[in-house]
Amino acid sequence: MWWFQQGLSILPSALVIWSSASFLFSYITAVLLHHVDPLVPYISDAGTTPPERCLFGIMLNIAAVLGMATMYVRYRQVRALIPEDHKLLRLNKIGVVLGMVSCFGLCIIANFQKSTMFSMHVIGACITFGVGAIYILIQTILSYKMQPGIHGKGIFWIRLAVLLWCALSIGSMFISSMVLYKWGISLIQKQHWNPQEKGYAFHLASAVSEWSLAFSFISFFFTYIRDFQKISLRVEALLHGHNLYYTHQQLLTDDQGMPIS
């Protein structure tokens, strides 16, 4: 059995590979068509012009669905591991809700491009990365609280390092973007930069920080792969009657549903 066939490790594996591909494929397409500069454009710029915009949108939507599924499985896993710790269970619920909100923000990024609806695109980015960073923080806290009996110490330190990486990327991107804004440099329609023009260094710092932030998120979900090798979920279907045309009174006379294996 291959490593990705163990448990549900295929979920975070698919999320990591697909998310990376959604950024890289749109970037390669945009560069080949000369829609962006090869040297570290903004991720959003690489998904602004057709045809890469179409590719970027559909791949990010699928990534959001994979993210929701991965976060739900993680929620169920933590709930099963610590069924009696009510404080951690509450924190686990908060985490999965925030994770779903973060994935919704990713859908906003995918469907509202920077060049068409800049404000909505920025809102989506803030939801994705801001709320997503809190999700990473919560999962890191859970990893700390669950060691050493349930979680190994190593995975906690790895997730803490990814959390710090994420925080530094957010801080760097925010500072460099604010400098560009104060200098009156509009980023909405600007996709090509001259190294000699004002603000180029801060643009480069902002773009590098954005790529760094995206891959810090991807790296965090990479740490789920080993954990997901030790969990499986199953769905059980129940028929409330012998056919699909039972009346309400006939359903009430059934003692219980009929399980289907």
PDB file of all heavy atoms in Angstrom, residues 161-196:
ATOM      1  N   ALA A 161       6.657  26.515  13.727  1.00  0.00           N
ATOM      2  CA  ALA A 161       7.545  27.169  12.770  1.00  0.00           C
ATOM      3  C   ALA A 161       6.758  27.680  11.561  1.00  0.00           C
ATOM      4  O   ALA A 161       7.001  28.799  11.074  1.00  0.00           O
ATOM      5  CB  ALA A 161       8.635  26.193  12.322  1.00  0.00           C
ATOM      6  N   VAL A 162       5.797  26.880  11.078  1.00  0.00           N
ATOM      7  CA  VAL A 162       4.966  27.308   9.952  1.00  0.00           C
ATOM      8  C   VAL A 162       4.106  28.501  10.348  1.00  0.00           C
ATOM      9  O   VAL A 162       3.909  29.441   9.573  1.00  0.00           O
ATOM     10  CB  VAL A 162       4.098  26.141   9.447  1.00  0.00           C
ATOM     11  CG1 VAL A 162       3.116  26.627   8.380  1.00  0.00           C
ATOM     12  CG2 VAL A 162       4.968  25.030   8.889  1.00  0.00           C
ATOM     13  N   LEU A 163       3.598  28.491  11.586  1.00  0.00           N
ATOM     14  CA  LEU A 163       2.801  29.615  12.084  1.00  0.00           C
ATOM     15  C   LEU A 163       3.626  30.901  12.104  1.00  0.00           C
ATOM     16  O   LEU A 163       3.151  31.969  11.679  1.00  0.00           O
ATOM     17  CB  LEU A 163       2.279  29.299  13.484  1.00  0.00           C
ATOM     18  CG  LEU A 163       1.548  30.435  14.222  1.00  0.00           C
ATOM     19  CD1 LEU A 163       0.293  30.843  13.461  1.00  0.00           C
ATOM     20  CD2 LEU A 163       1.209  30.009  15.644  1.00  0.00           C
ATOM     21  N   LEU A 164       4.856  30.831  12.583  1.00  0.00           N
ATOM     22  CA  LEU A 164       5.736  32.004  12.600  1.00  0.00           C
ATOM     23  C   LEU A 164       6.055  32.460  11.177  1.00  0.00           C
ATOM     24  O   LEU A 164       6.105  33.668  10.895  1.00  0.00           O
ATOM     25  CB  LEU A 164       7.020  31.679  13.363  1.00  0.00           C
ATOM     26  CG  LEU A 164       6.848  31.399  14.865  1.00  0.00           C
ATOM     27  CD1 LEU A 164       8.175  30.973  15.481  1.00  0.00           C
ATOM     28  CD2 LEU A 164       6.286  32.621  15.587  1.00  0.00           C
ATOM     29  N   TRP A 165       6.287  31.517  10.285  1.00  0.00           N
ATOM     30  CA  TRP A 165       6.518  31.821   8.862  1.00  0.00           C
ATOM     31  C   TRP A 165       5.318  32.586   8.296  1.00  0.00           C
ATOM     32  O   TRP A 165       5.479  33.604   7.605  1.00  0.00           O
ATOM     33  CB  TRP A 165       6.774  30.520   8.129  1.00  0.00           C
ATOM     34  CG  TRP A 165       6.904  30.603   6.640  1.00  0.00           C
ATOM     35  CD1 TRP A 165       7.082  31.736   5.882  1.00  0.00           C
ATOM     36  CD2 TRP A 165       6.864  29.506   5.718  1.00  0.00           C
ATOM     37  NE1 TRP A 165       7.152  31.408   4.546  1.00  0.00           N
ATOM     38  CE2 TRP A 165       7.028  30.065   4.418  1.00  0.00           C
ATOM     39  CE3 TRP A 165       6.721  28.126   5.865  1.00  0.00           C
ATOM     40  CZ2 TRP A 165       7.041  29.263   3.274  1.00  0.00           C
ATOM     41  CZ3 TRP A 165       6.736  27.326   4.726  1.00  0.00           C
ATOM     42  CH2 TRP A 165       6.888  27.891   3.450  1.00  0.00           C
ATOM     43  N   CYS A 166       4.127  32.097   8.601  1.00  0.00           N
ATOM     44  CA  CYS A 166       2.899  32.732   8.130  1.00  0.00           C
ATOM     45  C   CYS A 166       2.776  34.155   8.680  1.00  0.00           C
ATOM     46  O   CYS A 166       2.468  35.097   7.937  1.00  0.00           O
ATOM     47  CB  CYS A 166       1.701  31.879   8.552  1.00  0.00           C
ATOM     48  SG  CYS A 166       0.095  32.615   8.203  1.00  0.00           S
ATOM     49  N   ALA A 167       3.033  34.328   9.976  1.00  0.00           N
ATOM     50  CA  ALA A 167       2.913  35.642  10.611  1.00  0.00           C
ATOM     51  C   ALA A 167       3.917  36.639  10.033  1.00  0.00           C
ATOM     52  O   ALA A 167       3.573  37.804   9.770  1.00  0.00           O
ATOM     53  CB  ALA A 167       3.110  35.510  12.118  1.00  0.00           C
ATOM     54  N   LEU A 168       5.142  36.194   9.816  1.00  0.00           N
ATOM     55  CA  LEU A 168       6.163  37.072   9.238  1.00  0.00           C
ATOM     56  C   LEU A 168       5.798  37.478   7.809  1.00  0.00           C
ATOM     57  O   LEU A 168       6.016  38.629   7.404  1.00  0.00           O
ATOM     58  CB  LEU A 168       7.524  36.382   9.262  1.00  0.00           C
ATOM     59  CG  LEU A 168       8.174  36.215  10.642  1.00  0.00           C
ATOM     60  CD1 LEU A 168       9.439  35.366  10.545  1.00  0.00           C
ATOM     61  CD2 LEU A 168       8.504  37.580  11.255  1.00  0.00           C
ATOM     62  N   SER A 169       5.240  36.557   7.055  1.00  0.00           N
ATOM     63  CA  SER A 169       4.831  36.859   5.681  1.00  0.00           C
ATOM     64  C   SER A 169       3.702  37.887   5.664  1.00  0.00           C
ATOM     65  O   SER A 169       3.700  38.815   4.837  1.00  0.00           O
ATOM     66  CB  SER A 169       4.396  35.582   4.962  1.00  0.00           C
ATOM     67  OG  SER A 169       5.457  34.651   4.887  1.00  0.00           O
ATOM     68  N   ILE A 170       2.736  37.718   6.569  1.00  0.00           N
ATOM     69  CA  ILE A 170       1.631  38.678   6.658  1.00  0.00           C
ATOM     70  C   ILE A 170       2.162  40.061   7.021  1.00  0.00           C
ATOM     71  O   ILE A 170       1.790  41.079   6.414  1.00  0.00           O
ATOM     72  CB  ILE A 170       0.584  38.209   7.683  1.00  0.00           C
ATOM     73  CG1 ILE A 170      -0.159  36.977   7.164  1.00  0.00           C
ATOM     74  CG2 ILE A 170      -0.419  39.329   7.986  1.00  0.00           C
ATOM     75  CD1 ILE A 170      -1.137  36.381   8.155  1.00  0.00           C
ATOM     76  N   GLY A 171       3.040  40.117   8.018  1.00  0.00           N
ATOM     77  CA  GLY A 171       3.596  41.397   8.438  1.00  0.00           C
ATOM     78  C   GLY A 171       4.378  42.081   7.333  1.00  0.00           C
ATOM     79  O   GLY A 171       4.227  43.282   7.083  1.00  0.00           O
ATOM     80  N   SER A 172       5.219  41.323   6.641  1.00  0.00           N
ATOM     81  CA  SER A 172       6.028  41.879   5.561  1.00  0.00           C
ATOM     82  C   SER A 172       5.160  42.365   4.411  1.00  0.00           C
ATOM     83  O   SER A 172       5.395  43.455   3.861  1.00  0.00           O
ATOM     84  CB  SER A 172       7.011  40.811   5.070  1.00  0.00           C
ATOM     85  OG  SER A 172       7.729  41.265   3.948  1.00  0.00           O
ATOM     86  N   MET A 173       4.146  41.586   4.047  1.00  0.00           N
ATOM     87  CA  MET A 173       3.266  41.987   2.947  1.00  0.00           C
ATOM     88  C   MET A 173       2.467  43.238   3.310  1.00  0.00           C
ATOM     89  O   MET A 173       2.287  44.137   2.487  1.00  0.00           O
ATOM     90  CB  MET A 173       2.321  40.837   2.590  1.00  0.00           C
ATOM     91  CG  MET A 173       1.452  41.109   1.378  1.00  0.00           C
ATOM     92  SD  MET A 173       0.512  39.666   0.837  1.00  0.00           S
ATOM     93  CE  MET A 173      -0.594  39.458   2.232  1.00  0.00           C
ATOM     94  N   PHE A 174       1.997  43.312   4.546  1.00  0.00           N
ATOM     95  CA  PHE A 174       1.202  44.460   4.982  1.00  0.00           C
ATOM     96  C   PHE A 174       2.041  45.740   4.967  1.00  0.00           C
ATOM     97  O   PHE A 174       1.599  46.778   4.450  1.00  0.00           O
ATOM     98  CB  PHE A 174       0.657  44.208   6.389  1.00  0.00           C
ATOM     99  CG  PHE A 174      -0.116  45.368   6.955  1.00  0.00           C
ATOM    100  CD1 PHE A 174      -1.407  45.619   6.538  1.00  0.00           C
ATOM    101  CD2 PHE A 174       0.469  46.212   7.905  1.00  0.00           C
ATOM    102  CE1 PHE A 174      -2.117  46.701   7.048  1.00  0.00           C
ATOM    103  CE2 PHE A 174      -0.232  47.283   8.416  1.00  0.00           C
ATOM    104  CZ  PHE A 174      -1.534  47.529   7.988  1.00  0.00           C
ATOM    105  N   ILE A 175       3.246  45.681   5.506  1.00  0.00           N
ATOM    106  CA  ILE A 175       4.099  46.872   5.577  1.00  0.00           C
ATOM    107  C   ILE A 175       4.472  47.367   4.184  1.00  0.00           C
ATOM    108  O   ILE A 175       4.346  48.564   3.875  1.00  0.00           O
ATOM    109  CB  ILE A 175       5.367  46.579   6.408  1.00  0.00           C
ATOM    110  CG1 ILE A 175       4.992  46.335   7.878  1.00  0.00           C
ATOM    111  CG2 ILE A 175       6.364  47.726   6.295  1.00  0.00           C
ATOM    112  CD1 ILE A 175       6.151  45.841   8.714  1.00  0.00           C
ATOM    113  N   SER A 176       4.923  46.453   3.328  1.00  0.00           N
ATOM    114  CA  SER A 176       5.333  46.868   1.973  1.00  0.00           C
ATOM    115  C   SER A 176       4.149  47.379   1.161  1.00  0.00           C
ATOM    116  O   SER A 176       4.283  48.345   0.391  1.00  0.00           O
ATOM    117  CB  SER A 176       6.016  45.702   1.255  1.00  0.00           C
ATOM    118  OG  SER A 176       5.211  44.541   1.277  1.00  0.00           O
ATOM    119  N   SER A 177       2.972  46.776   1.330  1.00  0.00           N
ATOM    120  CA  SER A 177       1.781  47.245   0.605  1.00  0.00           C
ATOM    121  C   SER A 177       1.344  48.619   1.085  1.00  0.00           C
ATOM    122  O   SER A 177       0.922  49.467   0.280  1.00  0.00           O
ATOM    123  CB  SER A 177       0.636  46.245   0.773  1.00  0.00           C
ATOM    124  OG  SER A 177       0.963  44.988   0.230  1.00  0.00           O
ATOM    125  N   MET A 178       1.455  48.870   2.387  1.00  0.00           N
ATOM    126  CA  MET A 178       1.095  50.179   2.927  1.00  0.00           C
ATOM    127  C   MET A 178       2.036  51.261   2.431  1.00  0.00           C
ATOM    128  O   MET A 178       1.610  52.397   2.171  1.00  0.00           O
ATOM    129  CB  MET A 178       1.081  50.131   4.454  1.00  0.00           C
ATOM    130  CG  MET A 178      -0.071  49.352   5.048  1.00  0.00           C
ATOM    131  SD  MET A 178      -1.690  49.963   4.505  1.00  0.00           S
ATOM    132  CE  MET A 178      -1.669  51.629   5.168  1.00  0.00           C
ATOM    133  N   VAL A 179       3.311  50.933   2.291  1.00  0.00           N
ATOM    134  CA  VAL A 179       4.264  51.910   1.749  1.00  0.00           C
ATOM    135  C   VAL A 179       3.885  52.276   0.316  1.00  0.00           C
ATOM    136  O   VAL A 179       3.868  53.458  -0.064  1.00  0.00           O
ATOM    137  CB  VAL A 179       5.702  51.352   1.804  1.00  0.00           C
ATOM    138  CG1 VAL A 179       6.661  52.273   1.046  1.00  0.00           C
ATOM    139  CG2 VAL A 179       6.158  51.201   3.243  1.00  0.00           C
ATOM    140  N   LEU A 180       3.557  51.283  -0.500  1.00  0.00           N
ATOM    141  CA  LEU A 180       3.147  51.548  -1.879  1.00  0.00           C
ATOM    142  C   LEU A 180       1.877  52.383  -1.916  1.00  0.00           C
ATOM    143  O   LEU A 180       1.733  53.285  -2.762  1.00  0.00           O
ATOM    144  CB  LEU A 180       2.935  50.219  -2.618  1.00  0.00           C
ATOM    145  CG  LEU A 180       4.179  49.379  -2.901  1.00  0.00           C
ATOM    146  CD1 LEU A 180       3.791  48.022  -3.470  1.00  0.00           C
ATOM    147  CD2 LEU A 180       5.110  50.102  -3.882  1.00  0.00           C
ATOM    148  N   TYR A 181       0.947  52.106  -1.012  1.00  0.00           N
ATOM    149  CA  TYR A 181      -0.311  52.863  -0.968  1.00  0.00           C
ATOM    150  C   TYR A 181      -0.066  54.322  -0.590  1.00  0.00           C
ATOM    151  O   TYR A 181      -0.637  55.241  -1.180  1.00  0.00           O
ATOM    152  CB  TYR A 181      -1.262  52.203   0.032  1.00  0.00           C
ATOM    153  CG  TYR A 181      -2.550  52.954   0.235  1.00  0.00           C
ATOM    154  CD1 TYR A 181      -3.574  52.884  -0.710  1.00  0.00           C
ATOM    155  CD2 TYR A 181      -2.761  53.742   1.382  1.00  0.00           C
ATOM    156  CE1 TYR A 181      -4.756  53.568  -0.528  1.00  0.00           C
ATOM    157  CE2 TYR A 181      -3.936  54.430   1.572  1.00  0.00           C
ATOM    158  CZ  TYR A 181      -4.931  54.346   0.605  1.00  0.00           C
ATOM    159  OH  TYR A 181      -6.105  55.037   0.787  1.00  0.00           O
ATOM    160  N   LYS A 182       0.815  54.552   0.395  1.00  0.00           N
ATOM    161  CA  LYS A 182       1.116  55.922   0.819  1.00  0.00           C
ATOM    162  C   LYS A 182       1.842  56.701  -0.264  1.00  0.00           C
ATOM    163  O   LYS A 182       1.730  57.927  -0.346  1.00  0.00           O
ATOM    164  CB  LYS A 182       1.947  55.891   2.096  1.00  0.00           C
ATOM    165  CG  LYS A 182       1.150  55.490   3.329  1.00  0.00           C
ATOM    166  CD  LYS A 182       1.980  55.593   4.597  1.00  0.00           C
ATOM    167  CE  LYS A 182       1.141  55.254   5.830  1.00  0.00           C
ATOM    168  NZ  LYS A 182       1.934  55.373   7.082  1.00  0.00           N
ATOM    169  N   TRP A 183       2.586  56.008  -1.099  1.00  0.00           N
ATOM    170  CA  TRP A 183       3.274  56.669  -2.208  1.00  0.00           C
ATOM    171  C   TRP A 183       2.356  56.900  -3.399  1.00  0.00           C
ATOM    172  O   TRP A 183       2.772  57.453  -4.414  1.00  0.00           O
ATOM    173  CB  TRP A 183       4.485  55.842  -2.640  1.00  0.00           C
ATOM    174  CG  TRP A 183       5.650  55.947  -1.690  1.00  0.00           C
ATOM    175  CD1 TRP A 183       5.731  56.720  -0.574  1.00  0.00           C
ATOM    176  CD2 TRP A 183       6.890  55.242  -1.795  1.00  0.00           C
ATOM    177  NE1 TRP A 183       6.944  56.553   0.046  1.00  0.00           N
ATOM    178  CE2 TRP A 183       7.688  55.650  -0.690  1.00  0.00           C
ATOM    179  CE3 TRP A 183       7.422  54.318  -2.680  1.00  0.00           C
ATOM    180  CZ2 TRP A 183       8.972  55.168  -0.467  1.00  0.00           C
ATOM    181  CZ3 TRP A 183       8.701  53.839  -2.466  1.00  0.00           C
ATOM    182  CH2 TRP A 183       9.477  54.253  -1.367  1.00  0.00           C
ATOM    183  N   GLY A 184       1.112  56.468  -3.277  1.00  0.00           N
ATOM    184  CA  GLY A 184       0.142  56.701  -4.338  1.00  0.00           C
ATOM    185  C   GLY A 184       0.291  55.792  -5.536  1.00  0.00           C
ATOM    186  O   GLY A 184      -0.163  56.135  -6.639  1.00  0.00           O
ATOM    187  N   ILE A 185       0.895  54.637  -5.346  1.00  0.00           N
ATOM    188  CA  ILE A 185       1.094  53.681  -6.449  1.00  0.00           C
ATOM    189  C   ILE A 185      -0.075  52.707  -6.472  1.00  0.00           C
ATOM    190  O   ILE A 185      -0.270  51.927  -5.543  1.00  0.00           O
ATOM    191  CB  ILE A 185       2.425  52.925  -6.288  1.00  0.00           C
ATOM    192  CG1 ILE A 185       3.594  53.912  -6.280  1.00  0.00           C
ATOM    193  CG2 ILE A 185       2.596  51.898  -7.402  1.00  0.00           C
ATOM    194  CD1 ILE A 185       4.934  53.266  -6.000  1.00  0.00           C
ATOM    195  N   SER A 186      -0.849  52.761  -7.540  1.00  0.00           N
ATOM    196  CA  SER A 186      -2.014  51.889  -7.671  1.00  0.00           C
ATOM    197  C   SER A 186      -1.597  50.516  -8.185  1.00  0.00           C
ATOM    198  O   SER A 186      -0.816  50.413  -9.140  1.00  0.00           O
ATOM    199  CB  SER A 186      -3.040  52.512  -8.619  1.00  0.00           C
ATOM    200  OG  SER A 186      -4.122  51.634  -8.825  1.00  0.00           O
ATOM    201  N   LEU A 187      -2.132  49.481  -7.561  1.00  0.00           N
ATOM    202  CA  LEU A 187      -1.786  48.113  -7.952  1.00  0.00           C
ATOM    203  C   LEU A 187      -2.910  47.422  -8.716  1.00  0.00           C
ATOM    204  O   LEU A 187      -2.780  46.263  -9.104  1.00  0.00           O
ATOM    205  CB  LEU A 187      -1.462  47.282  -6.700  1.00  0.00           C
ATOM    206  CG  LEU A 187      -0.343  47.811  -5.792  1.00  0.00           C
ATOM    207  CD1 LEU A 187      -0.210  46.912  -4.563  1.00  0.00           C
ATOM    208  CD2 LEU A 187       0.971  47.871  -6.544  1.00  0.00           C
ATOM    209  N   ILE A 188      -4.021  48.143  -8.950  1.00  0.00           N
ATOM    210  CA  ILE A 188      -5.204  47.494  -9.507  1.00  0.00           C
ATOM    211  C   ILE A 188      -4.964  47.008 -10.932  1.00  0.00           C
ATOM    212  O   ILE A 188      -5.186  45.845 -11.268  1.00  0.00           O
ATOM    213  CB  ILE A 188      -6.407  48.456  -9.456  1.00  0.00           C
ATOM    214  CG1 ILE A 188      -6.714  48.839  -7.996  1.00  0.00           C
ATOM    215  CG2 ILE A 188      -7.626  47.806 -10.098  1.00  0.00           C
ATOM    216  CD1 ILE A 188      -7.847  49.833  -7.855  1.00  0.00           C
ATOM    217  N   GLN A 189      -4.515  47.896 -11.812  1.00  0.00           N
ATOM    218  CA  GLN A 189      -4.319  47.535 -13.212  1.00  0.00           C
ATOM    219  C   GLN A 189      -2.845  47.333 -13.571  1.00  0.00           C
ATOM    220  O   GLN A 189      -2.528  47.028 -14.716  1.00  0.00           O
ATOM    221  CB  GLN A 189      -4.915  48.634 -14.113  1.00  0.00           C
ATOM    222  CG  GLN A 189      -6.408  48.862 -13.909  1.00  0.00           C
ATOM    223  CD  GLN A 189      -7.252  47.687 -14.368  1.00  0.00           C
ATOM    224  OE1 GLN A 189      -6.796  46.850 -15.143  1.00  0.00           O
ATOM    225  NE2 GLN A 189      -8.484  47.602 -13.879  1.00  0.00           N
ATOM    226  N   LYS A 190      -1.951  47.513 -12.624  1.00  0.00           N
ATOM    227  CA  LYS A 190      -0.519  47.457 -12.917  1.00  0.00           C
ATOM    228  C   LYS A 190      -0.028  46.012 -12.862  1.00  0.00           C
ATOM    229  O   LYS A 190      -0.020  45.386 -11.813  1.00  0.00           O
ATOM    230  CB  LYS A 190       0.246  48.317 -11.917  1.00  0.00           C
ATOM    231  CG  LYS A 190       1.700  48.570 -12.301  1.00  0.00           C
ATOM    232  CD  LYS A 190       2.327  49.567 -11.345  1.00  0.00           C
ATOM    233  CE  LYS A 190       3.757  49.870 -11.731  1.00  0.00           C
ATOM    234  NZ  LYS A 190       3.864  50.482 -13.059  1.00  0.00           N
ATOM    235  N   GLN A 191       0.416  45.488 -14.004  1.00  0.00           N
ATOM    236  CA  GLN A 191       0.901  44.109 -14.072  1.00  0.00           C
ATOM    237  C   GLN A 191       2.352  44.018 -14.519  1.00  0.00           C
ATOM    238  O   GLN A 191       2.957  42.954 -14.421  1.00  0.00           O
ATOM    239  CB  GLN A 191       0.020  43.282 -15.013  1.00  0.00           C
ATOM    240  CG  GLN A 191      -1.393  43.049 -14.481  1.00  0.00           C
ATOM    241  CD  GLN A 191      -2.228  42.225 -15.425  1.00  0.00           C
ATOM    242  OE1 GLN A 191      -3.114  42.740 -16.105  1.00  0.00           O
ATOM    243  NE2 GLN A 191      -1.963  40.938 -15.493  1.00  0.00           N
ATOM    244  N   HIS A 192       2.909  45.125 -15.010  1.00  0.00           N
ATOM    245  CA  HIS A 192       4.304  45.144 -15.449  1.00  0.00           C
ATOM    246  C   HIS A 192       5.048  46.236 -14.689  1.00  0.00           C
ATOM    247  O   HIS A 192       4.537  47.354 -14.536  1.00  0.00           O
ATOM    248  CB  HIS A 192       4.394  45.380 -16.958  1.00  0.00           C
ATOM    249  CG  HIS A 192       3.795  44.287 -17.782  1.00  0.00           C
ATOM    250  ND1 HIS A 192       4.468  43.114 -18.078  1.00  0.00           N
ATOM    251  CD2 HIS A 192       2.565  44.172 -18.348  1.00  0.00           C
ATOM    252  CE1 HIS A 192       3.692  42.331 -18.804  1.00  0.00           C
ATOM    253  NE2 HIS A 192       2.529  42.950 -18.981  1.00  0.00           N
ATOM    254  N   TRP A 193       6.247  45.894 -14.216  1.00  0.00           N
ATOM    255  CA  TRP A 193       7.038  46.814 -13.410  1.00  0.00           C
ATOM    256  C   TRP A 193       8.417  47.009 -14.036  1.00  0.00           C
ATOM    257  O   TRP A 193       9.007  46.066 -14.568  1.00  0.00           O
ATOM    258  CB  TRP A 193       7.207  46.275 -11.984  1.00  0.00           C
ATOM    259  CG  TRP A 193       5.955  46.306 -11.172  1.00  0.00           C
ATOM    260  CD1 TRP A 193       4.898  45.442 -11.251  1.00  0.00           C
ATOM    261  CD2 TRP A 193       5.630  47.244 -10.154  1.00  0.00           C
ATOM    262  NE1 TRP A 193       3.928  45.784 -10.344  1.00  0.00           N
ATOM    263  CE2 TRP A 193       4.355  46.888  -9.650  1.00  0.00           C
ATOM    264  CE3 TRP A 193       6.288  48.353  -9.607  1.00  0.00           C
ATOM    265  CZ2 TRP A 193       3.734  47.597  -8.634  1.00  0.00           C
ATOM    266  CZ3 TRP A 193       5.673  49.055  -8.590  1.00  0.00           C
ATOM    267  CH2 TRP A 193       4.403  48.686  -8.113  1.00  0.00           C
ATOM    268  N   ASN A 194       8.896  48.248 -13.930  1.00  0.00           N
ATOM    269  CA  ASN A 194      10.252  48.586 -14.354  1.00  0.00           C
ATOM    270  C   ASN A 194      11.138  48.656 -13.112  1.00  0.00           C
ATOM    271  O   ASN A 194      10.809  49.373 -12.157  1.00  0.00           O
ATOM    272  CB  ASN A 194      10.263  49.938 -15.073  1.00  0.00           C
ATOM    273  CG  ASN A 194      11.613  50.267 -15.682  1.00  0.00           C
ATOM    274  OD1 ASN A 194      12.656  49.800 -15.215  1.00  0.00           O
ATOM    275  ND2 ASN A 194      11.603  51.072 -16.732  1.00  0.00           N
ATOM    276  N   PRO A 195      12.245  47.914 -13.077  1.00  0.00           N
ATOM    277  CA  PRO A 195      13.114  47.940 -11.891  1.00  0.00           C
ATOM    278  C   PRO A 195      13.596  49.331 -11.513  1.00  0.00           C
ATOM    279  O   PRO A 195      13.998  49.548 -10.364  1.00  0.00           O
ATOM    280  CB  PRO A 195      14.289  47.039 -12.295  1.00  0.00           C
ATOM    281  CG  PRO A 195      13.730  46.133 -13.343  1.00  0.00           C
ATOM    282  CD  PRO A 195      12.733  46.966 -14.091  1.00  0.00           C
ATOM    283  N   GLN A 196      13.538  50.289 -12.444  1.00  0.00           N
ATOM    284  CA  GLN A 196      14.026  51.637 -12.166  1.00  0.00           C
ATOM    285  C   GLN A 196      12.951  52.551 -11.580  1.00  0.00           C
ATOM    286  O   GLN A 196      13.270  53.635 -11.088  1.00  0.00           O
ATOM    287  CB  GLN A 196      14.569  52.265 -13.462  1.00  0.00           C
ATOM    288  CG  GLN A 196      15.634  51.436 -14.167  1.00  0.00           C
ATOM    289  CD  GLN A 196      16.836  51.169 -13.285  1.00  0.00           C
ATOM    290  OE1 GLN A 196      17.255  52.030 -12.516  1.00  0.00           O
ATOM    291  NE2 GLN A 196      17.400  49.963 -13.395  1.00  0.00           N
TER     292      GLN A 196
END
